[in-house]
Short mmCIF file of all heavy atoms in Angstrom, two decimals:
data_model
loop_
_atom_site.label_atom_id
_atom_site.label_comp_id
_atom_site.label_asym_id
_atom_site.label_seq_id
_atom_site.Cartn_x
_atom_site.Cartn_y
_atom_site.Cartn_z
N PHE H 48 11.14 18.52 -20.02
CA PHE H 48 11.15 19.29 -21.26
C PHE H 48 11.09 18.31 -22.41
O PHE H 48 11.79 17.29 -22.39
CB PHE H 48 12.45 20.10 -21.38
CG PHE H 48 12.57 21.24 -20.41
CD1 PHE H 48 12.84 21.03 -19.07
CD2 PHE H 48 12.44 22.54 -20.86
CE1 PHE H 48 12.97 22.08 -18.19
CE2 PHE H 48 12.57 23.61 -19.98
CZ PHE H 48 12.83 23.38 -18.65
N GLN H 49 10.28 18.59 -23.41
CA GLN H 49 10.18 17.73 -24.57
C GLN H 49 10.29 18.57 -25.84
O GLN H 49 9.61 19.58 -26.00
CB GLN H 49 8.85 16.97 -24.59
CG GLN H 49 8.72 16.06 -25.79
CD GLN H 49 7.47 15.20 -25.75
OE1 GLN H 49 6.68 15.28 -24.82
NE2 GLN H 49 7.31 14.38 -26.75
N VAL H 50 11.17 18.13 -26.74
CA VAL H 50 11.29 18.70 -28.07
C VAL H 50 11.28 17.52 -29.03
O VAL H 50 12.16 16.66 -28.96
CB VAL H 50 12.58 19.54 -28.25
CG1 VAL H 50 12.70 20.04 -29.68
CG2 VAL H 50 12.60 20.71 -27.28
N GLY H 51 10.28 17.45 -29.89
CA GLY H 51 10.13 16.28 -30.76
C GLY H 51 9.94 15.04 -29.90
O GLY H 51 9.14 15.03 -28.96
N GLN H 52 10.72 14.01 -30.16
CA GLN H 52 10.65 12.77 -29.38
C GLN H 52 11.59 12.77 -28.18
O GLN H 52 11.58 11.84 -27.38
CB GLN H 52 10.97 11.57 -30.28
CG GLN H 52 9.99 11.39 -31.42
CD GLN H 52 8.58 11.14 -30.92
OE1 GLN H 52 8.35 10.33 -30.03
NE2 GLN H 52 7.62 11.84 -31.49
N GLU H 53 12.42 13.81 -28.09
CA GLU H 53 13.40 13.89 -27.00
C GLU H 53 12.77 14.46 -25.74
O GLU H 53 12.16 15.53 -25.78
CB GLU H 53 14.59 14.76 -27.40
CG GLU H 53 15.39 14.22 -28.55
CD GLU H 53 16.18 12.99 -28.18
OE1 GLU H 53 16.70 12.91 -27.04
OE2 GLU H 53 16.27 12.09 -29.03
N ILE H 54 12.94 13.77 -24.63
CA ILE H 54 12.45 14.23 -23.33
C ILE H 54 13.62 14.21 -22.36
O ILE H 54 14.34 13.22 -22.26
CB ILE H 54 11.33 13.31 -22.80
CG1 ILE H 54 10.14 13.30 -23.75
CG2 ILE H 54 10.90 13.75 -21.39
CD1 ILE H 54 9.07 12.28 -23.39
N ARG H 55 13.80 15.32 -21.67
CA ARG H 55 14.86 15.44 -20.68
C ARG H 55 14.29 16.07 -19.41
O ARG H 55 13.42 16.92 -19.47
CB ARG H 55 16.01 16.33 -21.17
CG ARG H 55 16.71 15.83 -22.41
CD ARG H 55 17.70 14.72 -22.08
NE ARG H 55 18.45 14.34 -23.25
CZ ARG H 55 18.09 13.39 -24.10
NH1 ARG H 55 16.98 12.74 -23.93
NH2 ARG H 55 18.85 13.09 -25.14
N ARG H 56 14.83 15.66 -18.29
CA ARG H 56 14.40 16.23 -17.01
C ARG H 56 15.22 17.47 -16.70
O ARG H 56 16.45 17.43 -16.74
CB ARG H 56 14.57 15.22 -15.89
CG ARG H 56 14.05 15.78 -14.55
CD ARG H 56 14.12 14.80 -13.45
NE ARG H 56 13.14 13.74 -13.69
CZ ARG H 56 12.94 12.74 -12.86
NH1 ARG H 56 13.64 12.65 -11.76
NH2 ARG H 56 12.05 11.82 -13.14
N GLY H 57 14.53 18.55 -16.38
CA GLY H 57 15.18 19.77 -15.96
C GLY H 57 15.43 19.75 -14.46
O GLY H 57 14.71 19.09 -13.71
N GLU H 58 16.45 20.44 -14.04
CA GLU H 58 16.77 20.52 -12.62
C GLU H 58 15.90 21.58 -11.96
O GLU H 58 15.77 22.70 -12.47
CB GLU H 58 18.24 20.90 -12.45
CG GLU H 58 18.65 21.13 -11.03
CD GLU H 58 20.05 21.71 -10.91
OE1 GLU H 58 20.73 21.92 -11.92
OE2 GLU H 58 20.45 21.98 -9.76
N ILE H 59 15.30 21.24 -10.84
CA ILE H 59 14.53 22.21 -10.07
C ILE H 59 15.54 23.01 -9.25
O ILE H 59 16.27 22.46 -8.43
CB ILE H 59 13.48 21.54 -9.18
CG1 ILE H 59 12.46 20.81 -10.06
CG2 ILE H 59 12.81 22.56 -8.27
CD1 ILE H 59 11.47 19.97 -9.33
N VAL H 60 15.58 24.31 -9.52
CA VAL H 60 16.56 25.19 -8.89
C VAL H 60 16.00 25.81 -7.63
O VAL H 60 16.71 25.97 -6.64
CB VAL H 60 16.99 26.30 -9.89
CG1 VAL H 60 17.97 27.26 -9.25
CG2 VAL H 60 17.57 25.69 -11.14
N GLN H 61 14.72 26.18 -7.67
CA GLN H 61 14.10 26.83 -6.50
C GLN H 61 12.61 26.56 -6.51
O GLN H 61 11.96 26.66 -7.55
CB GLN H 61 14.35 28.33 -6.56
CG GLN H 61 13.75 29.08 -5.40
CD GLN H 61 13.95 30.59 -5.56
OE1 GLN H 61 14.42 31.06 -6.58
NE2 GLN H 61 13.59 31.33 -4.54
N ARG H 62 12.09 26.19 -5.37
CA ARG H 62 10.64 26.05 -5.20
C ARG H 62 10.31 26.53 -3.81
O ARG H 62 11.18 26.88 -3.05
CB ARG H 62 10.18 24.63 -5.46
CG ARG H 62 10.58 23.65 -4.40
CD ARG H 62 9.96 22.27 -4.64
NE ARG H 62 10.82 21.30 -4.03
CZ ARG H 62 11.59 20.46 -4.66
NH1 ARG H 62 11.60 20.44 -5.95
NH2 ARG H 62 12.36 19.63 -4.01
N GLY H 63 9.07 26.53 -3.50
CA GLY H 63 8.64 26.99 -2.18
C GLY H 63 7.35 27.76 -2.29
O GLY H 63 6.41 27.51 -1.57
N ALA H 64 7.31 28.70 -3.25
CA ALA H 64 6.06 29.42 -3.49
C ALA H 64 5.10 28.50 -4.22
O ALA H 64 5.51 27.67 -5.02
CB ALA H 64 6.34 30.67 -4.33
N ASP H 65 3.82 28.62 -3.92
CA ASP H 65 2.83 27.76 -4.55
C ASP H 65 2.54 28.16 -5.99
O ASP H 65 1.99 27.39 -6.75
CB ASP H 65 1.53 27.76 -3.74
CG ASP H 65 0.65 26.57 -4.06
OD1 ASP H 65 1.17 25.44 -4.10
OD2 ASP H 65 -0.55 26.78 -4.31
N ASP H 66 2.96 29.38 -6.37
CA ASP H 66 2.60 29.87 -7.72
C ASP H 66 3.77 29.91 -8.70
O ASP H 66 3.60 30.32 -9.83
CB ASP H 66 1.96 31.25 -7.63
CG ASP H 66 2.91 32.31 -7.07
OD1 ASP H 66 3.96 31.96 -6.49
OD2 ASP H 66 2.59 33.50 -7.23
N GLN H 67 4.97 29.46 -8.28
CA GLN H 67 6.07 29.42 -9.23
C GLN H 67 7.16 28.46 -8.78
O GLN H 67 7.31 28.18 -7.59
CB GLN H 67 6.66 30.81 -9.47
CG GLN H 67 7.41 31.38 -8.32
CD GLN H 67 7.98 32.75 -8.66
OE1 GLN H 67 7.52 33.43 -9.56
NE2 GLN H 67 8.99 33.18 -7.94
#
Side-chain angles (χ1 to χ4, degrees):
F48 290 74
Q49 180 175 0
V50 176
Q52 298 299 314
E53 296 289 323
I54 299 172
R55 299 281 186 270
R56 183 177 291 182
E58 175 189 359
I59 297 173
V60 178
Q61 180 184 7
R62 71 174 154 252
D65 199 47
D66 63 345
Q67 70 179 22

